[in-house]
Amino acid sequence: MIQEYSFKRGFSQDIARVGEVLKKNFPAEVKEENGKLTLSYGAFSRLAVWVDKKKMCVDSESGKGAADDVILDTNRRYRVFLEEATGYTAKERLAKAKKDVQGA
């Protein structure tokens, strides 16, 4: 399932910057193909990130059978990545998502 995230004012939508944040939070090999950054780490069998129309798009596939501590670590890293890449905290992203749904 593809998720879209807005960037906070002042946060660059440059895929190279997003890639640096990705590499910082996930110690795994990040591959670049067709403008998409992909990796495999922890509970993610595949995580793809790209920028489209001023939004960061994320497509993730979870691996089956990951241990609870691996899942918790992966989720924590993902939340930190989203905040550092977009500038929005989890609470702000939730409020923004609710507002976007009400406006649609």
Side-chain angles (χ1 to χ4, degrees):
M1 186 169 118
I2 298 173
Q3 296 283 338
E4 289 185 347
Y5 300 95
S6 297
F7 290 95
K8 199 172 202 174
R9 185 185 314 257
F11 276 72
S12 167
Q13 298 155 14
D14 179 40
I15 192 67
R17 184 193 68 83
V18 172
E20 290 304 313
V21 176
L22 195 62
K23 290 173 189 169
K24 175 183 160 199
N25 287 288
F26 294 99
E29 181 187 359
V30 177
K31 296 176 184 159
E32 193 273 324
E33 57 183 65
N34 302 328
K36 291 185 180 182
L37 303 173
T38 60
L39 64 84
S40 176
Y41 178 87
F44 287 130
S45 58
R46 182 176 168 275
L47 180 69
V49 179
W50 67 99
V51 176
D52 184 36
K53 297 182 185 122
K54 298 185 177 184
K55 298 217 181 222
M56 183 175 73
C57 303
V58 180
D59 187 13
S60 63
E61 294 173 19
S62 298
K64 303 290 181 242
D68 288 348
D69 60 331
V70 172
I71 293 169
L72 290 171
D73 174 65
T74 304
N75 285 340
R76 182 187 59 77
R77 289 175 184 274
Y78 184 63
R79 285 192 311 273
V80 171
F81 160 69
L82 288 177
E83 183 171 344
E84 291 179 358
T86 66
Y88 289 108
T89 65
K91 192 174 184 178
E92 290 170 326
R93 287 193 307 275
L94 178 62
K96 191 159 182 43
K98 284 182 180 176
K99 185 177 173 187
D100 289 347
V101 166
Q102 288 172 349

